[in-house]
Amino acid sequence: MRVSPTSYTCQRCMHTLHQSMRATQRSTLARVTLGQRSFSSTQYNQSSLRNSPQTANGLAKGKRSGSQASAQPATSKNVSLEFRRSQSTATPKDERLLLKPNNLFHKFSDSPSPDMRRRAAFIKQNASCPHPDHRQTRLPMSPDDPEARKSTTSGLPPAHVDFECPDCGIPVYCSEEHWADDYAAHLEICDTLRETNEDDHDLRSGRFFPEFEYPGSQIEEAMINMTNWDTFLFTREFNAINHERSLRQATRLLTYPVTIGSVLHELSPYNIKKGGRLTVEGLKSLSALRYTLHPPRTGGGPDVKGIRPAPPPVRIFILGARAESSLPREVWVQLAHLFPRVAFHLIFIGPESMANRDAEYPLPERTPANPFGAVVEDRLTSFLKISTFVEYYHTLHKAGHFYPYDPYFDCFMLFHPGLGHPASSHEWQETIPQLLETKVPILVTGYTQYDMERDSDWVKKTVGGEMDILLEPGENRFRSLRWDLNDHDPQDISCGNYGLWAFRGKRYETTKKDVQ
Amino acid sequence: MAVKESYVEKVLAAIYTSRNMGILPRSSYYDEHYKQSAALIRARRPYLIKNAITGIGLFGFCIGVYAFTIRAVSQDEFEDVKVPDAVQQSPRAGASTMPSAK
C-alpha cells in the first residue's frame, strides 16, 4: 500500500540526474537527493550523562544531565557534502581536513580543534582527582567508582584534575605523582579513553563520513539478520563499514532505533531457549506486538481498487527522552524500514525531550486540539510520525491523553532512565506503577551492567510481585560500540544502551476454583 | 602510453565508482580488486565454520559416490562373464565374438 521513497523517482528524472552527474563529475549529488532527506538543522548532541550529587547529604535536584558536548555529525556531514562536490580535484581535499586519519590522537588541551580545548578546560574545572589520598567529594555511585576508595574524614583536600595522561590525552589526575601512583587503576581504562579521544577528534576532523549515509527501505523478502551489528548492516544494505572507528561512530547513533527493532522484530536474537533471555511472558507480549508488526498481505495497492482498511499506527512511547529526541530523523526512519507496511508513531515524553533542539523553539501553543503543546513532525515519511511532549509522563497518563493502551500496538521504551540512580529515581516513582497498569511491554536499557542491575533491583523493590520480567537483564547485542566520556568525571565511561531488559505489569489470568 | 593508461584508469574508476549507481552498480562490500572487504568478512564470521563443515560434507559425499562407483565398475576379472562357444567356421585371428554389422 505504501510506496517506498526510493522507488518514487521516475525513470526520466533519474536519467537526467545521471546525465548531469556525468557531465560535471559530481558523483554523489543524486544519491543525496534521492533517498535521504537530511535535516541539517537538527544537531545531535549527547547530553545524557548523569550529574553526580554535589554533597554527601543533599542530592542534586532533578536531572541527570551532564554536558558532554560531543560533536555534531550532522554538521560534519554538511561539510563533507560540500567537499564531496569538489572531489574531482585532488589537492583541496587534503587542505580541508582538519585532521588526517593518522593524526587523530591529541591531548585535549593541545588539540587543533577549539571544541576539544574547551572540553579540556571544562573537565579541568569540574572533575576531581580520583586518587585515594583525597577526601571524598560525593557518594560513590557504584562499587567500581574510584570515590569508594577515598575516605570521608582524613586525607588531602579534593583537587581538580589537571594532569593529562600521555597515553590517553585526557585530564585524569591532579598531578603526575598521583597518576603514577594510581597507574594500575588507570591502566584499566586508559586504552578505552584513548580510543574515545581519537573518535572525538575523528568526528571533528572534517573528513567525509560514508557511515552516516543510511539506506532506504528494502523488499520484504530480503530478510534482516540480527545476530550482530555486522550481519545487520550487511543485510540492511548499508554501505560497507570497513574500519572499526567508522563502525563505532555509526553504531553510536543507530543503537537507538535498532535496539527497539531487535526486540520487536520476529527475527530477533532473543528467544525462549536457554540463554536466549526471553521469558514465556515475554514471548506472549512480543507475539501480540509482532502480530501487528508483521501484517499479512491484504492485496492493497496505490490505486483506488487497492484501498484497504489500515490499522492504527504502532505507538512507541520513549519516556525520559533526552538526547534521543534530537537524533537526526533519518536515524529514526531506520526503525520504520525494519517493518514494511507498518505505520509508526514515536512519542518522546520527558521534561528534557527538547534538549539540543533549540531551532524548533518556541513550542506550539496549548490549544484544545493540542492540549500539551506537543511538537508534531508528521511530514517525515508516510509511515513515521514523531511527536515530542515536554511533560512528565504521569501528567499525561492522569490526563488520559493516550488512552486506551493496547498491548497489540503500544510499547514503552526507556533509554538509560536511571530508575535506580539516586539522582533520578524519585522522578520515576510515580510513573512506573502507571506503566504497569497499562499492561504494555516496557523495554529498558542501561549504561553499564551495574546501572542496569540497579534499575531492575529498584523496580523489583518498588513494585514487588506486580511485574513480570519479559527479557532478562543482559548485554544488548545492538549496543553502541563507542564508549563515551562523562565530562564531569573522566573515570566514568559508558556506552549507549549497553544493557537491555524488559518488564510488564503482571497479568492475572482467571483460574477455575475447585468446587467440591 | 603512460598518459593514456592513466586516462583509461580514470574512466574505469568513474564507471565503477560505487556511488555512481547509474552506470554500473557495485557493491561496497568488495574492493576495487574484487576482494572481500573487512565488513563482509566480519558479517560472515558467525557462519564460516558451519559453512565450511557443510561444504566438506557435501563434497565428501560427492567424492564418495564417485569413488564407490568407479571402484565398483573398474574390475579386471571377468570370470563370471559367460563366453559363448566359438563359431564353427574358421575363426580369424582377432575376430570378435560380437555379431558384425554386416
Side-chain angles (χ1 to χ4, degrees):
Chain A
M1 179 103 187
R2 291 187 173 86
V3 181
S4 77
T6 48
S7 62
Y8 210 66
T9 316
C10 77
Q11 290 303 315
R12 224 188 262 174
C13 296
M14 287 206 33
H15 189 64
T16 321
L17 282 168
H18 288 314
Q19 291 261 325
S20 64
M21 210 164 67
R22 251 174 259 154
T24 58
Q25 289 199 2
R26 290 181 204 176
S27 56
T28 52
L29 209 46
R31 255 208 92 191
V32 169
T33 49
L34 274 177
Q36 295 112 28
R37 299 161 60 183
S38 53
F39 293 86
S40 48
S41 62
T42 56
Q43 296 182 349
Y44 173 54
N45 235 327
Q46 189 170 349
S47 67
S48 57
L49 300 180
R50 54 196 82 124
N51 194 8
S52 36
Q54 292 304 317
T55 58
N57 47 5
L59 295 174
K61 231 163 183 227
K63 310 165 191 173
R64 305 165 60 228
S65 56
S67 67
Q68 180 198 338
S70 75
Q72 300 100 29
T75 45
S76 13
K77 193 157 59 138
N78 287 335
V79 166
S80 60
L81 280 177
E82 278 172 19
F83 92 73
R84 252 190 290 175
R85 284 178 203 143
S86 63
Q87 211 175 16
S88 47
T89 53
T91 35
K93 179 161 66 163
D94 288 346
E95 284 168 9
R96 281 189 195 235
L97 282 179
L98 178 65
L99 292 163
K100 300 239 184 61
N102 55 357
N103 183 25
L104 286 174
F105 173 67
H106 294 277
K107 286 194 177 172
F108 269 24
S109 32
D110 301 329
S111 167
S113 156
D115 203 23
M116 300 303 277
R117 292 196 294 267
R118 217 176 307 132
R119 270 185 79 184
F122 184 88
I123 296 174
K124 286 183 179 170
Q125 283 177 346
N126 285 281
S128 51
C129 179
H131 194 273
D133 277 351
H134 291 281
R135 239 173 286 144
Q136 234 183 34
T137 45
R138 54 173 173 84
L139 280 177
M141 289 294 127
S142 77
D144 304 322
D145 197 342
E147 290 288 313
R149 301 178 305 170
K150 298 182 182 175
S151 81
T152 39
T153 45
S154 64
L156 301 169
H160 284 305
V161 292
D162 197 39
F163 176 73
E164 286 171 339
C165 166
D167 295 323
C168 55
I170 294 174
V172 277
Y173 285 93
C174 63
S175 58
E176 197 170 345
E177 297 81 45
H178 277 181
W179 169 71
D181 201 34
D182 209 22
Y183 195 57
H186 179 66
L187 216 49
E188 290 168 24
I189 52 170
C190 194
D191 295 330
T192 315
L193 283 176
R194 191 195 169 106
E195 222 177 60
T196 308
N197 183 337
E198 289 180 357
D199 287 346
D200 279 332
H201 279 107
D202 184 46
L203 276 180
R204 292 164 179 84
S205 65
R207 70 174 169 96
F208 171 50
F209 290 96
E211 58 265 29
F212 293 137
E213 285 184 348
Y214 302 119
S217 61
Q218 58 190 52
I219 55 172
E220 244 179 283
E221 288 77 11
M223 313 261 270
I224 303 168
N225 185 327
M226 295 194 179
T227 311
N228 56 36
W229 273 116
D230 302 302
T231 58
F232 174 80
L233 294 172
F234 181 73
T235 47
R236 264 294 289 144
E237 294 173 14
F238 275 76
N239 282 335
I241 300 178
N242 290 317
H243 301 289
E244 297 274 328
R245 178 156 300 134
S246 304
L247 190 61
R248 288 197 291 268
Q249 311 283 25
T251 57
R252 187 174 175 226
L253 301 185
L254 285 171
T255 178
Y256 293 98
V258 178
T259 299
I260 304 177
S262 70
V263 177
L264 300 182
H265 204 276
E266 63 182 354
L267 301 173
S268 116
Y270 309 109
N271 50 46
I272 52 170
K273 291 192 269 225
K274 195 161 184 300
R277 285 167 52 195
L278 194 64
T279 58
V280 175
E281 290 299 324
L283 189 59
K284 287 183 196 168
S285 273
L286 290 181
S287 300
L289 272 173
R290 287 168 190 171
Y291 185 76
T292 320
L293 288 168
H294 300 282
R297 294 227 177 238
T298 52
D303 50 357
V304 171
K305 285 233 170 80
I307 294 178
R308 297 282 181 276
V314 172
R315 295 187 299 184
I316 301 185
F317 298 93
I318 300 174
L319 306 192
R322 299 180 296 274
E324 301 83 52
S325 64
S326 63
L327 276 176
R329 296 312 182 226
E330 300 159 306
V331 176
W332 283 115
V333 167
Q334 291 300 309
L335 173 62
H337 285 143
L338 292 176
F339 303 98
R341 290 180 293 118
V342 178
F344 280 90
H345 187 186
L346 293 181
I347 305 166
F348 293 103
I349 298 172
E352 289 169 58
S353 55
M354 288 297 284
N356 303 315
R357 288 169 68 175
D358 303 322
E360 297 177 49
Y361 276 100
L363 294 177
E365 275 178 16
R366 295 190 172 208
T367 62
N370 188 357
F372 293 97
V375 178
V376 178
E377 296 162 65
D378 53 0
R379 301 296 172 95
L380 294 168
T381 49
S382 61
F383 39 82
L384 181 65
K385 173 172 150 180
I386 299 183
S387 311
T388 311
F389 288 78
V390 187
E391 279 289 348
Y392 280 104
Y393 176 75
H394 46 253
T395 314
L396 297 167
H397 186 92
K398 283 190 272 208
H401 191 64
F402 300 113
Y403 193 82
Y405 296 93
D406 190 339
Y408 280 76
F409 287 95
D410 300 333
C411 175
F412 287 102
M413 181 76 227
L414 274 56
F415 287 114
H416 339 103
L419 299 174
H421 194 277
S424 54
S425 63
H426 63 282
E427 294 176 315
W428 293 101
Q429 199 85 32
E430 204 179 338
T431 305
I432 294 292
Q434 292 171 340
L435 296 182
L436 297 178
E437 246 173 52
T438 62
K439 303 285 188 268
V440 163
I442 305 158
L443 313 181
V444 187
T445 64
Y447 280 124
T448 56
Q449 179 74 18
Y450 176 75
D451 191 35
M452 180 176 55
E453 280 168 9
R454 186 173 51 185
D455 285 352
S456 60
D457 291 340
W458 181 87
V459 173
K460 283 190 192 121
K461 201 165 46 92
T462 312
V463 292
E466 277 299 313
M467 69 144 182
D468 279 328
I469 293 272
L470 303 180
L471 187 69
E472 301 197 344
E475 191 182 331
N476 180 4
R477 278 201 207 205
F478 293 98
R479 65 174 177 93
S480 158
L481 295 173
R482 221 189 104 151
W483 289 90
D484 297 315
L485 192 62
N486 181 358
D487 279 358
H488 286 272
D489 182 8
Q491 269 71 31
D492 175 25
I493 44 174
S494 56
C495 75
N497 298 329
Y498 176 84
L500 177 67
W501 61 290
F503 67 104
R504 182 201 69 197
K506 198 169 181 64
R507 291 195 73 91
Y508 292 95
E509 292 185 0
T510 55
T511 51
K512 274 186 154 22
K513 192 165 101 169
D514 272 335
V515 178
Q516 295 297 348
Chain B
M1 257 317 158
V3 173
K4 249 199 177 163
E5 271 173 16
S6 71
Y7 171 72
V8 167
E9 268 176 24
K10 259 202 211 133
V11 168
L12 279 176
I15 293 173
Y16 287 129
T17 305
S18 62
R19 273 168 212 94
N20 206 344
M21 292 211 12
I23 301 183
L24 273 176
R26 274 196 53 176
S27 170
S28 54
Y29 286 90
Y30 293 89
D31 61 13
E32 63 269 6
H33 302 292
Y34 289 99
K35 255 183 26 196
Q36 292 183 357
S37 68
L40 184 57
I41 295 173
R42 262 188 275 127
R44 290 180 55 205
R45 271 205 58 206
Y47 306 102
L48 274 178
I49 306 228
K50 283 185 274 190
N51 286 354
I53 293 173
T54 311
I56 290 172
L58 287 172
F59 274 105
F61 172 74
C62 183
I63 292 170
V65 166
Y66 266 99
F68 172 77
T69 311
I70 292 174
R71 194 179 302 168
V73 302
S74 71
Q75 50 182 157
D76 282 340
E77 291 87 35
F78 295 100
E79 300 304 325
D80 51 340
V81 175
K82 266 188 74 150
V83 179
D85 292 338
V87 178
Q88 285 312 315
Q89 295 160 5
S90 62
R92 287 188 300 280
S96 81
T97 51
M98 286 187 50
S100 65
K102 296 191 208 134

